[in-house]
Structures are given as C-alpha cells and as structure tokens.
Amino acid sequence: MHLLNLGILAHVDAGKTSLTERLLHHAGVIDELGSVDAGSTRTDTLALERQRGITIKAAVVSFPVDDITVNLIDTPGHPDFIAEVERVLGVLDGAVLVVSAVEGVQAQTRVLMRTLRRLRIPTLVFVNKTDRRGARPQGVLRELTERLAVPVVAMGTVTAPGTPAAAFTPADPAPDVLADHDDTLLAAYVDGTLTPAGVRAALRAQAHRGVVHPVYAGSAATGAGVPELVAGIKELLPPAAGDPDGPLSGTVFKVERGPAGEKIAYARLFSGTLRVRDRIRADDARSKVTAISVFGDGTDTRAEAVPAGRIARLWGLTGARVGDSLGTPRPGHGRFFAPPTLETVVVPGPGTDRRALHLALTRLAEQDPLIGLRHDEVRAETSVSLYGEVQKEVLQATLADEHGLAVTFRETTPLCLERPAGTGAAAEFIKKGDHPFLATVGLRVEPAPPGSGVTFGLEVELGAMPYAFFKAVEDTVRETLGQGLHGWQVTDCAVTMTHSGYWPRQSHAHQGFDKSMSSTGYDFRGLTPLVLVDALRRAGTRVHEPMHRFRLEAPVDTLGALLPVLAALDAVPGTTRTEGSRCVLEGVVPAARAHALEQRIPGLTRGEGEWESAFDHYAPVAGGAVPERPRTDRNPLDRKEYLLNVTGRVGG
C-alpha cells in the first residue's frame, strides 16, 4: 500500500479543519461530521482549541483513498502559531492549501505559498466556502495568479456560487500554463497535435514536482468538490518515498505528554526502519524505543516497527525535542519561518507556586522550541518569546487549564539583539592582575556578516593546552554572548582566542592532586566572561531591533489619513502605487509598532484596508534611548560583583 503524508494549510477561518472532517467522512473514517463551532472535530482535541474554534497544535489522522493510506496533518492557521506549521512542513510529501471563496487570498496565504514553493512541496489549492453568500470563486482564481504570482491550473468551474446549491463541475485542464513549463507540450500545442491524455500526463508530472498548482473548489460544509479533490490528491500528489533498508533517518516534529506524563514523540522516517528496543540518538543522548504506534485507517495502532515513509508515535525517547534528528540528519533541512521577535515576562498570580510554573513552562517549551525561556534568578522572573498577542492569550489559558496555574503578563516588548560595532581585544594572564583564576585567556571580537551567527576560532596552537580547556573557553564564550553590553544576545560576530596558558596538574609526594596549584576547567569558565566583555567594550556593540516588512492595501481616498499615522508609528513606506480605486503601500515598521498599527487600520480605512506584515530584518535602533534588558547572569560587566559572585572574594 502506498503512503502519502499530506498537510492541510490555510489562513485562519478558511475552513481547513472543516475540510479535514469532510475528508475523513468521505473516506468512511467517521460516521458523523464534527463541527468547529460545537468543538466536536476529530483533530482539534485540546480543550482550548474547542473553546476558541481555532487550531493550535498540529494533529495527525489517517484515511484510505483506494490503495493509498493518507496521513493527514491539520495545522494552525493563525500566524501566531506559525512554529507549528514550520515543523510540519519538513515531513510532508504534499499539501492542500485552503483559500476562502469569500475572503480570498490573505496575508497568511501568501506566507504559506511562498514557503511551499521554496521547499518545492507539491501543492493543490482548494477554494472553500463556495456556498457562502459573497463567494467569488472566479475572482479568487484571478487573485491566486495575480497576488500569489504562481502558476495555477483550474480543474473545473463552480455553478451557482454563493448559494447552498453551489457545485463543482470538473473540466479538462487548459494546456497554456502547462506549456510554459514543458517544451514538448508547447510544440504539440503549437502544431495542433496535443491530446487530452498528453495534457493530463504533463499536469501529473508538473504537479508532482510542485511546478504548477491544480485548483479545485467546493464546500467543506456541503461536500461539494470534495470527491474531485480526493481524486486529485491520489493522482497529482506523489507518494512517500524512502528506503526501508537504508540508514536510519527521521525527524521529530511534535512532542506531547501522555496520560501518565510520559513523553511521546511524533516522527517521520525518511530512510531505514525503526524497531521497538532499538537504541537511537536523539538530543545528543541515546535512548531505547520502548513502544511504537503507526497511523492507518483513521487511528493509530501499536506496531513492532516503523519503515521509511511512515509517521509514528514513539515512546522512550526521554530527551527528544521538536526538530531532533533520529539517526542520520537530513541534508538541507532547517528553519523556514522567522523566529519570534517579541518577549514578555510571566507574572505568577496569587497563590501560584513559582517552581510549578517553571516546570510547566519548561514542558511547554519542550513541545515548542520557539518558546524561548529566560529565567532571571536574581528577580525570580521568567520571560518567554512570542509571535503575537493571541499566542500570549493561549499560553495563559493553557497554564490555567492544563496545569492549574494562574498567570498574567507584562507588556510585550520587542526582542532585540546586539552586533559588534568594531573590533576589540583583551587578555588576562595567570597571576597578573586581580583575578584569582589559574588561566590565561585572550580574545578578539570582530563583526561578521548579518545572519552568520557566532564563530569561534584559534590563533594559538591546539596542542598548547588540554583540549578540555579550549572547549571550556568556547562553550563559555557562546553562553556569555547570550547577554551583551545592553543585555541582548550578541550575534553576527567572530571570536578568536589569541592567548592561552595554564598550570599543569600538580601533586606532592605521598599526597593527592593539589587543586590550588593546578588549572581546571573552572578557571577557564570563570575567567572567560571577564575577558570577553572587556573585548566587547573595546569593540562596542550596537542594539538592533526587529523590523517587519508590511503591505497595506486601502482605498485611495484614505491615504491622507493613513500617512500621518504611519509616520507617527515610525513606519517607513518604501513604495506606493495605485491600482484602480485602491492604493498599495509597502515598507518597513518596527516590530514593536506593528501590532498597534494593525489595530488602527480598520478605523482609518472604513474597514476596507488589508494589512500584511512579517519579520524582515534587524536594524540599528534609531533615536531615543537604547533599549536595555536586565541581566540574568553574574554580571561580568561589574568586575567586583562578578568576582564576589563567582569566587566569594573580590580579587586575587
């Protein structure tokens, strides 16, 4: 039996979960359709999902299509949960992108399609809600071509749109779009020898490669167009590939806790076969698989092994985290969406146990690696990184519903970073100066290209001292750069070790190791932060804030009201163009202002404005005070305080 791992993606409220229910009903997996409004859908299992009527966590369910088993993954549509979508994309063989026939192409639609195209994931489009008043399937088809700028092939037409009788009538695909990507087809098209079978074969080949996107239409509510979509899934999306006899290679894309608190990892295998009692590496540790269940016929069942191509639930991987590779890592697999650019402090409510809160947040971060936790022991505070305000509300409700913990949040602030402004170097030597460490460390800090992260190199010979000491310096450098001169993470810099020295192991006759006369890793871990921040001071750092690119489409006559507000919120339009009675503004705005600006748009545009924004880059903070972030370490910026905290004394 063939397998197909299929993702359902869409902008919020496009009817994605309802389409999932309809597909399961069509396949005979469920007898009765679930309702998003009633909270009875198969894939929205979290209480919070049922209450809010939105998908928060990706869910897997399977159904048969003739001789194909489809593992269908329902994903969130709200942009605040883009991390859930990100981890799913890496395990898909194909996708269905759902677009509402009423609202049409939305900002999230463009983000998703751009990513699907970049990853070359074969994708069908389903224009949903053709039975709703205001449905305009033909207009949406034009939007797919014009606003998404991708080649689409209509697979039929809609009759009686906007009424309960709306139906999808299949039609032979037009050859013109296909001919643009196939010279043989183009030649046959020109000389009149083109056949319907040739067009269909070209469509299948191009859809399998993700070159063109077949478009179906219908209604998840009435079932119109769903049989045709199912036929398209079978014919036009490629089955899962993978050698079950090859080396083990897989990816963990979801982690959850079972009823007894046990960790369950969802993984897709790309190569090899994984068996119960196999020991595999995950999260830099070897774990034994204690149980496996695989998906099929609408449920998951226990199995002794899972071969390449399948999705499975795995027990026993106690150290597994989302994004971990099982066995050999896949080449070229990485992050597809921007990291979160906002941060907030979690404030425990009256009677909330701080230790229980820390444990709950740690478990939530385990399930979502983009929820970055930052614990400040001095102030007994924990900060979390976020994509938006809705995610904050969901986090608050999750802590209350699943862990019984009441919390509030401080105001959301942008998550800045620091980059070196120049080059700086510093060195400290054993028994010279006031430091008590038996170590010599010299470091040089230099700027590196944006996006390069942090690199560490040596200008001293690797054999000049034990490797463990070099490793202690490198690890401490990377840890210390988590908080720069202004408290933000320092990135895009090259750190070079320029000086090294140590005292060899000393011992006295008939006695053991003399720690007071011998260098240890502790000495290098203790001295490195002082040297590094001294080098950073000499280099200087510049704080950069996250910037969003925005696209605003609004009536031309509202431009006069929009421009002053954009200026007041530090938005900088880059281009402005007129398209009939509407104008389109594109530019950049600080992430800290994007949410406030989005809230103002409806009132300024009579509710007709369309706003889209997404992270684009980091830019130096311009004007005003440089944002500072409270430190959570032992503060190497204050030498006396640091030495007192680390050694219990001010100096040597």
Side-chain angles (χ1 to χ4, degrees):
M1 177 176 281
H2 294 300
L3 291 167
L4 170 63
N5 297 300
L6 176 71
I8 303 287
L9 298 89
H11 63 81
V12 68
D13 289 334
K16 171 178 46 60
T17 300
S18 297
L19 178 60
T20 299
E21 289 291 306
R22 178 59 69 175
L23 290 170
L24 295 176
H25 183 266
H26 177 80
V29 171
I30 56 177
D31 296 326
E32 186 176 346
L33 288 170
S35 166
V36 173
D37 294 335
S40 57
T41 60
R42 181 71 175 268
T43 52
D44 284 347
T45 56
L46 298 179
L48 192 57
E49 292 178 314
R50 296 179 184 274
Q51 292 166 13
R52 297 183 66 103
I54 60 173
T55 301
I56 297 170
K57 294 292 183 183
V60 183
V61 66
S62 68
F63 64 89
V65 178
D66 297 332
D67 62 340
I68 298 177
T69 293
V70 178
N71 289 326
L72 189 149
I73 307 176
D74 186 18
T75 61
H78 198 285
D80 279 13
F81 307 106
I82 199 68
E84 278 291 317
V85 181
E86 171 178 319
R87 66 193 59 149
V88 167
L89 290 177
V91 305
L92 297 181
D93 303 305
V96 173
L97 181 63
V98 185
V99 182
S100 168
V102 179
E103 289 86 6
V105 172
Q106 302 289 292
Q108 186 75 344
T109 315
R110 287 194 284 268
V111 172
L112 293 170
M113 181 55 89
R114 279 198 299 265
T115 307
L116 290 165
R117 294 279 295 179
R118 186 165 64 248
L119 298 175
R120 297 185 178 277
I121 296 176
T123 303
L124 309 182
V125 178
F126 185 74
V127 179
N128 191 26
K129 300 186 179 181
T130 57
D131 60 321
R132 296 286 184 89
R133 179 181 299 177
R136 45 186 186 86
Q138 283 302 116
V140 172
L141 188 63
R142 286 193 298 273
E143 287 183 10
L144 292 170
T145 302
E146 297 169 1
R147 299 183 65 180
L148 294 185
V150 297
V152 298
V153 178
M155 300 301 293
T157 58
V158 176
T159 57
T163 71
F168 180 71
T169 303
D172 291 333
D176 50 347
V177 174
L178 299 170
D180 289 341
H181 307 278
D182 187 328
D183 291 341
T184 302
L185 190 72
L186 178 60
Y189 183 46
V190 171
D191 63 25
T193 60
L194 198 59
T195 64
V199 174
R200 199 78 192 188
L203 172 66
R204 188 181 305 110
Q206 293 185 29
H208 271 220
R209 301 199 312 272
V211 175
V212 301
H213 305 288
V215 179
Y216 296 85
S219 168
T222 67
V226 172
E228 291 79 10
L229 174 64
V230 171
I233 290 172
K234 177 183 177 182
E235 178 189 8
L236 302 176
L237 294 180
D243 180 7
D245 298 319
L248 182 68
S249 178
T251 299
V252 175
F253 67 92
K254 178 179 178 177
V255 171
E256 66 181 17
R257 293 278 176 173
E262 74 277 19
K263 182 179 287 189
I264 305 170
Y266 287 66
R268 157 77 190 270
L269 284 196
F270 299 97
S271 174
T273 299
L274 184 62
R275 298 174 175 84
V276 175
R277 293 179 292 280
D278 279 356
R279 288 192 173 273
I280 59 174
R281 181 170 295 278
D283 193 32
D284 296 327
R286 295 193 74 84
S287 303
K288 183 169 74 172
V289 178
T290 57
I292 295 173
S293 70
V294 296
F295 291 90
D297 295 328
T299 185
D300 65 303
T301 55
R302 289 301 176 105
E304 286 298 307
V306 53
R310 301 206 74 150
I311 287 176
R313 302 171 80 208
L314 307 176
W315 282 259
L317 305 185
T318 55
R321 289 178 58 88
V322 170
D324 279 353
S325 294
L326 305 180
T328 305
R330 283 183 77 202
H333 180 64
R335 177 172 291 173
F336 313 127
F337 296 100
T341 56
L342 301 173
E343 185 178 54
T344 186
V345 174
V346 184
V347 181
T352 296
D353 184 270
R354 291 181 180 271
R355 286 176 297 182
L357 175 60
H358 183 70
L359 177 61
L361 287 170
T362 301
R363 285 197 168 185
L364 291 175
E366 178 184 84
Q367 299 172 25
D368 187 347
L370 294 184
I371 294 181
L373 294 184
R374 184 173 182 267
H375 188 61
D376 186 338
E377 294 182 2
V378 176
R379 299 169 186 80
E381 294 178 349
T382 300
S383 302
V384 296
S385 53
L386 302 165
Y387 278 98
E389 296 299 317
V390 173
Q391 190 181 9
K392 186 162 66 174
E393 295 171 16
V394 168
L395 183 60
Q396 182 180 36
T398 301
L399 289 170
D401 296 345
E402 297 184 12
H403 302 276
L405 301 171
V407 301
T408 57
F409 299 93
R410 292 193 191 150
E411 182 182 2
T412 303
T413 57
L415 200 52
C416 299
L417 55 79
E418 295 181 48
R419 287 175 172 146
T423 299
E428 299 209 21
F429 301 87
I430 298 177
K431 292 303 179 182
K432 291 184 180 179
D434 64 350
H435 77 82
F437 304 108
L438 299 182
T440 293
V441 175
L443 297 170
R444 183 175 67 248
V445 176
E446 301 169 283
S452 60
V454 175
T455 60
F456 181 82
L458 298 177
E459 275 187 4
V460 295
E461 292 186 9
L462 189 59
M465 63 181 187
Y467 173 74
F469 294 163
F470 285 114
K471 188 70 166 64
V473 172
E474 179 178 358
D475 290 347
T476 306
V477 162
R478 295 184 183 279
E479 180 182 347
T480 304
L481 289 176
Q483 302 180 75
L485 302 182
H486 300 279
W488 304 102
Q489 180 179 4
V490 182
T491 188
D492 300 333
C493 66
V495 180
T496 305
M497 190 169 184
T498 57
H499 298 78
S500 67
Y502 76 109
W503 279 2
R505 183 184 180 94
Q506 300 289 327
S507 61
H508 303 290
H510 309 296
Q511 295 183 11
F513 168 53
D514 187 350
K515 185 177 179 180
S516 66
M517 297 293 290
S518 309
S519 298
T520 65
Y522 161 82
D523 293 296
F524 288 90
R525 287 190 295 271
L527 179 59
T528 296
L530 290 174
V531 178
L532 182 59
V533 297
D534 194 9
L536 276 176
R537 277 197 183 101
R538 299 179 185 189
T541 65
R542 185 170 295 141
V543 176
H544 290 63
E545 64 179 332
M547 303 293 290
H548 281 204
R549 65 178 182 275
F550 72 84
R551 182 183 187 277
L552 173 58
E553 186 175 331
V556 171
D557 60 358
T558 64
L559 193 59
L562 282 169
L563 291 177
V565 175
L566 291 172
L569 292 173
D570 299 325
V572 181
T575 61
T576 304
R577 65 180 186 274
T578 301
E579 297 178 355
S581 62
R582 298 178 70 79
C583 62
V584 178
L585 290 81
E586 295 180 349
V588 294
V589 60
R593 310 276 194 276
H595 182 65
L597 184 53
E598 182 179 7
Q599 290 181 314
R600 297 285 302 276
I601 297 301
L604 295 168
T605 62
R606 303 188 298 273
E608 298 179 41
E610 294 182 14
W611 169 265
E612 172 189 353
S613 73
F615 171 78
D616 189 63
H617 66 283
Y618 284 90
V621 173
V626 175
E628 301 280 341
R629 191 190 200 194
R631 301 192 72 87
T632 61
D633 58 7
R634 292 171 173 175
N635 194 17
L637 292 175
D638 186 324
R639 189 180 185 90
K640 289 184 178 180
E641 177 187 341
Y642 175 81
L643 290 173
L644 191 62
N645 286 333
V646 173
T647 67
R649 51 200 173 112
V650 170

